[in-house]
């Protein structure tokens, strides 16, 4: 054998702990080498499969020493996807189960896996002019503190579906009046069918100027204990027939007693 030689062989066995493998050569009577090191590609860990074709570089001190340079594409081992503009790294032995893909043509970077976990020890940032998060089943957000800085918020339920919200702790929503004053004063809650507000003890709604609560068909307010409706100025009750203030009711009751 010359001082050094590059040969094509097949993986005979793999030592996953040491990152080494043995190689067999058919033209040498299927003899098996000692364990050879594999090129790490800057500490990238992906061990070849037994029987896979590899390129081996034998060192100058004889056939007993060598390095597995890498695996080879051939008629039995073809790429899952090809193209001049495509970069793709397979992460799974199963076809299309998990991989990293980038296209120069579209500029899209894709990471596909059955379960994807991004773990930023100090900070994880998703930044872009448009950000879309979609889930077919559910989305769970867990945080000790959440800050949302937006100019508009739109929540839409699917057709024939419902949007529900359940709050199990105290919620404080605060916004400086000068930044979204017009939006806050004209804020409205619109529902297709029903709105249910339920509390174990008290419900308290307070405003400095005015509050408008209306329903096209009917409205029911119920409580297990007391219900208090208070106004700092005038409290008026009205329907399609009557319109009267609380002061007028009390005045008429007083006249009736005389």
């Amino acid at each position: 054998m010359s001082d050094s030689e590059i040969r094509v062989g097949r993986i005979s066995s793999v030592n996953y702990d040491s990152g080494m493998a043995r190689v067999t050569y058919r033209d040498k009577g299927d003899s098996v080498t000692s364990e050879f090191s594999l090129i790490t590609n800057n500490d990238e860990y992906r061990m070849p499969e037994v029987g896979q074709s590899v390129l081996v570089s034998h060192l100058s001190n004889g056939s007993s020493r060598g390095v597995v340079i890498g695996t080879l594409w051939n008629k039995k081992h073809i790429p899952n996807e090809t193209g001049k503009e495509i970069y793709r790294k397979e992460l799974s032995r199963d076809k299309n189960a998990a991989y990293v893909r980038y296209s120069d043509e579209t500029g899209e970077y894709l990471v596909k896996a059955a379960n994807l976990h991004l773990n930023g020890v100090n900070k994880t940032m998703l930044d872009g002019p448009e950000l879309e998060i979609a889930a077919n089943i559910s989305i769970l957000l867990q945080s000790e503190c959440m800050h949302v800085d937006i100019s508009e918020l739109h929540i839409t339920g699917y057709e024939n579906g419902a949007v529900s919200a359940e709050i199990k702790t105290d919620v404080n929503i605060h916004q400086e009046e000068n930044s979204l004053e017009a939006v806050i004063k004209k804020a409205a809650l619109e529902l297709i069918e029903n709105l249910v507000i339920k509390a174990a003890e008290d419900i308290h709604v307070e405003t400095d100027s005015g509050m408008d609560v209306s329903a096209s068909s009917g409205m029911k307010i119920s409580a297990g204990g007391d219900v208090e409706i208070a106004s700092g100025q005038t409290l008026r009750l009205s329907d399609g027939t009557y319109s009267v203030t609380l002061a007028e009711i009390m005045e008429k009751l007083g006249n009736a007693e005389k």
Side-chain angles (χ1 to χ4, degrees), residues 2-251:
S2 59
D3 290 343
S4 62
E5 184 179 14
I6 295 179
R7 296 179 54 84
V8 175
R10 292 181 181 273
I11 295 295
S12 174
S13 64
V14 177
N15 187 333
Y16 294 98
D17 294 332
S18 65
M20 303 178 72
R22 296 179 186 270
V23 180
T24 180
Y25 299 112
R26 290 184 177 179
D27 61 344
K28 294 205 177 276
D30 291 330
S31 60
V32 178
T33 67
S34 58
E35 287 191 345
F36 289 169
S37 299
L38 276 77
I39 296 294
T40 65
N41 292 326
N42 294 323
D43 292 338
E44 179 180 297
Y45 182 85
R46 180 178 173 87
M47 302 301 292
E49 294 183 284
V50 173
Q52 195 168 15
S53 297
V54 290
L55 191 66
V56 181
S57 175
H58 286 270
L59 305 180
S60 58
N61 55 349
S63 59
S64 62
R65 297 290 303 277
V67 176
V68 178
I69 300 175
T71 58
L72 303 173
W73 297 122
N74 51 40
K75 293 181 179 180
K76 293 184 178 180
H77 182 220
I78 61 175
N80 289 330
E81 183 180 11
T82 61
K84 180 180 178 181
E85 307 294 333
I86 296 296
Y87 166 80
R88 177 161 167 158
K89 171 65 178 176
E90 301 299 328
L91 305 177
S92 172
R93 302 295 186 190
D94 298 329
K95 185 176 181 180
N96 294 326
Y99 57 87
V100 177
R101 178 188 186 276
Y102 178 77
S103 170
D104 274 328
E105 181 179 358
T106 63
E108 180 187 59
Y109 180 74
L110 172 66
V111 179
K112 180 181 178 180
N115 300 286
L116 185 61
H117 182 188
L118 299 178
N119 184 2
V121 176
N122 295 320
K123 185 176 182 180
T124 301
M125 179 181 294
L126 300 177
D127 187 13
E130 294 186 12
L131 180 62
E132 179 178 342
I133 300 176
N136 294 329
I137 300 177
S138 66
I139 296 177
L140 173 64
L141 299 177
Q142 291 181 325
S143 175
E144 293 184 1
C145 178
M146 182 178 295
H147 174 76
V148 180
D149 186 4
I150 57 177
S151 59
E152 293 185 14
L153 176 63
H154 301 276
I155 301 176
T156 304
Y158 289 108
E159 185 177 359
N160 299 325
V163 176
S164 62
E166 182 180 2
I167 300 174
K168 296 183 178 180
T169 184
D170 296 333
V171 176
N172 180 23
I173 301 176
H174 176 72
Q175 173 66 53
E176 295 296 333
E177 187 177 2
N178 56 4
S179 62
L180 287 176
E181 180 178 2
V183 176
I184 294 173
K185 289 184 177 180
K186 296 180 180 179
L189 179 62
E190 298 181 359
L191 295 151
I192 298 175
E193 293 181 354
N194 301 317
L195 172 63
V196 178
I197 301 176
K198 181 179 180 181
E201 295 182 359
D202 300 327
I203 298 176
H204 181 67
V205 180
E206 182 179 348
T207 177
D208 292 334
S209 56
M211 180 175 64
D212 183 12
V213 180
S214 60
S216 59
S217 58
M219 177 181 296
K220 180 180 179 181
I221 300 176
S222 62
D226 299 328
V227 177
E228 179 180 347
I229 301 176
S231 173
Q233 297 179 3
T234 302
L235 178 61
R236 178 174 293 276
L237 303 175
S238 62
D239 57 15
T241 304
Y242 299 100
S243 178
V244 62
T245 66
L246 181 60
E248 292 171 348
I249 294 175
M250 298 305 297
E251 182 180 354

